[in-house]
Amino acid sequence: MAELSSPLILGDLHLKNRVIMAPLTRSRATDDRVPTPMMAEHYAQRASAGLIISEATVISEAANGYFNTPGLFTDAQVKGWKSVTQAVHDKGGLIVAQLWHVGRVSHPDLLSGDTPVSASSVQQKGQVSLLRPKRDYVVPRALEITEIKTIIEQFKQAAIRAKEAGFDGVELHGANGYLIDQFLQSSTNQREDEYGGSVENRARLLLEVVDALIEVWGAGRVGVHLAPRGDEHDMGDADPRETFGYALEQLGQRKIAFFFTREYLADDSISEYLKARSGGVPYIANMKLSRNDAIALLASGQADAVSFGKAYIANPDLYERLVQDAPLNELVFDNMIGAQTAEGYIDYPTLAESLVAQNAENEVSA
């Protein structure tokens, strides 16, 4: 029976435990999208996780939808990430790079005036995150075939740079309504060429990018991040079981290292079905999991590993706290995203540090 502390093999990745740090956008990179020494400290603090999946990292400047998110398309960015991966490895951790293109989830003000791109010209409802004053998303421009091929190559080049930067593998961000998801789901893909219509065509970009990543890393160091609920950024699909089931079937044939779903537990959850459809690709569960949820998922074999996001923001030693059933630090939302400050980023105490501080306080009180 698998437990939180059980080791796990994901393809070519040998994990010391089954607690995964989810990718978390914090917008602490420089204006040129270069990772900073503070980011290296942040990740190193959390290296007791079985695996760290880096924050979403753009493959080009045109792929961005937020200020100060990191990239993997310049030499300076590679150098910055080297400091991060080295810091994690020095603490005995593993880290993979999550590769990202936001597609329509952007705005001309973030793209030097250019129109965001997508599978089709379907406008997203709502307003652009973090831009002030607030403004609506614009109608995106449908990508031409030649542009799609260019983006696939950019993913491949980012994967090459991830290897140069010392990562242990890569994860494709195919979730949360970003570009890969926009091609996959029927509500945003209204194309009539080889990238639209049937589920086979809508999954084509996902699979072609995965194949490009495998060329660089081998299948055993490539993961895929999916969101079958379609509950982010105005997404939706006519038949999620078939769409995501087909995708997992194809990913299973490629024998990728793992798939990760952002899907809360409910009667209509389909991640367990996706795991079965994949032919056994290891599955990382995520979204609003409690400690008891995580333990039950592992014990039953419904998931191979469990992932936490917000809890890892507030608890650098989350793995140890979960194993010990220790109390967790409360998450402070101030400065969570975008503030170029250590506060709310690298200043959360470990359990040991909290106990030392409490003992010192007790001595003063006595």
Side-chain angles (χ1 to χ4, degrees):
M1 183 176 74
E3 300 178 343
L4 295 169
S5 57
S6 299
L8 175 64
I9 296 176
L10 299 178
D12 296 331
L13 300 170
H14 291 246
L15 280 58
K16 58 194 174 186
N17 62 64
R18 299 188 182 222
V19 177
I20 312 299
M21 178 176 163
L24 295 158
T25 292
R26 306 299 300 281
S27 295
R28 289 309 204 280
T30 68
D31 291 345
D32 294 330
R33 308 194 182 280
V34 176
T36 64
M38 186 167 63
M39 289 172 60
E41 182 174 352
H42 168 79
Y43 281 107
Q45 288 175 345
R46 290 153 178 80
S48 62
L51 176 67
I52 294 172
I53 303 174
S54 84
E55 62 204 275
T57 301
V58 292
I59 60 170
S60 70
E61 189 59 37
N64 98 82
Y66 308 85
F67 292 118
N68 298 106
T69 52
L72 261 172
F73 55 91
T74 71
D75 292 343
Q77 292 160 1
V78 170
K79 184 177 179 181
W81 275 121
K82 278 184 179 179
S83 297
V84 174
T85 61
Q86 186 62 57
V88 171
H89 293 155
D90 287 347
K91 291 290 187 70
L94 292 173
I95 181 169
V96 299
Q98 188 186 64
L99 304 181
W100 188 33
H101 192 306
V102 308
R104 70 175 185 169
V105 188
S106 192
H107 190 275
D109 290 352
L110 296 166
L111 300 171
S112 300
D114 292 338
T115 301
V117 298
S118 185
S120 302
S121 296
V122 179
Q123 184 176 12
Q124 178 179 323
K125 295 177 183 176
Q127 296 179 314
V128 183
S129 299
L130 306 181
L131 276 186
R132 298 295 180 271
K134 292 184 178 181
R135 62 213 79 175
D136 292 342
Y137 288 103
V138 301
V139 178
R141 178 177 63 79
L143 284 163
E144 301 289 341
I145 295 290
T146 55
E147 294 176 303
I148 292 172
K149 302 303 182 185
T150 296
I151 287 172
I152 294 169
E153 181 61 24
Q154 289 172 339
F155 271 107
K156 183 176 181 178
Q157 291 303 314
I160 292 171
R161 289 186 178 275
K163 184 173 284 190
E164 294 170 356
F167 283 99
D168 299 294
V170 292
E171 184 195 60
L172 174 61
H173 197 338
N176 300 356
Y178 296 118
L179 184 67
I180 302 297
D181 209 13
Q182 291 160 32
F183 273 79
L184 186 60
Q185 297 200 46
S186 61
S187 67
T188 46
N189 188 337
Q190 299 176 5
R191 302 177 71 95
E192 297 180 352
D193 57 18
E194 61 263 44
Y195 286 94
S198 67
V199 63
E200 293 84 0
N201 284 352
R202 287 184 282 113
R204 190 180 304 277
L205 179 59
L206 164 69
L207 299 174
E208 288 183 345
V209 173
V210 167
D211 287 341
L213 303 183
I214 289 172
E215 284 183 34
V216 176
W217 280 96
R221 292 184 182 272
V222 173
V224 174
H225 196 100
L226 297 168
R229 286 195 179 278
D231 54 358
E232 279 282 310
H233 292 127
D234 192 27
M235 296 299 295
D237 188 78
D239 189 349
R241 286 175 67 90
E242 180 53 28
T243 294
F244 288 91
Y246 173 79
L248 261 298
E249 185 179 275
Q250 294 298 308
L251 293 171
Q253 292 177 13
R254 287 160 170 80
K255 301 187 185 305
I256 64 168
F258 65 87
F259 78 99
F260 176 122
T261 61
R262 179 188 175 278
E263 184 187 46
Y264 59 82
L265 300 176
D267 290 341
D268 61 349
S269 298
I270 66 171
S271 290
E272 190 176 358
Y273 163 78
L274 298 181
K275 177 175 169 61
R277 185 105 180 242
S278 76
V281 173
Y283 161 49
I284 301 173
N286 172 258
M287 197 173 180
K288 300 180 181 179
L289 298 180
S290 68
R291 177 178 184 272
N292 289 339
D293 290 335
I295 290 170
L297 284 169
L298 295 176
S300 67
Q302 290 175 266
D304 299 287
V306 288
S307 181
F308 298 87
K310 290 179 180 177
Y312 251 121
I313 292 176
N315 298 275
D317 58 342
L318 179 64
Y319 165 70
E320 291 86 352
R321 290 177 188 253
L322 291 174
V323 169
Q324 298 173 42
D325 196 14
L328 303 183
N329 294 326
E330 289 189 17
L331 176 64
V332 178
F333 286 91
D334 292 346
N335 300 325
M336 190 168 76
I337 299 177
Q340 297 300 301
T341 171
E343 185 179 357
Y345 190 60
I346 57 173
D347 62 344
Y348 283 105
T350 63
L351 182 61
E353 290 168 342
S354 295
L355 291 174
V356 168
Q358 185 63 52
N359 289 338
E361 194 174 302
N362 291 341
E363 288 180 9
V364 170
S365 299

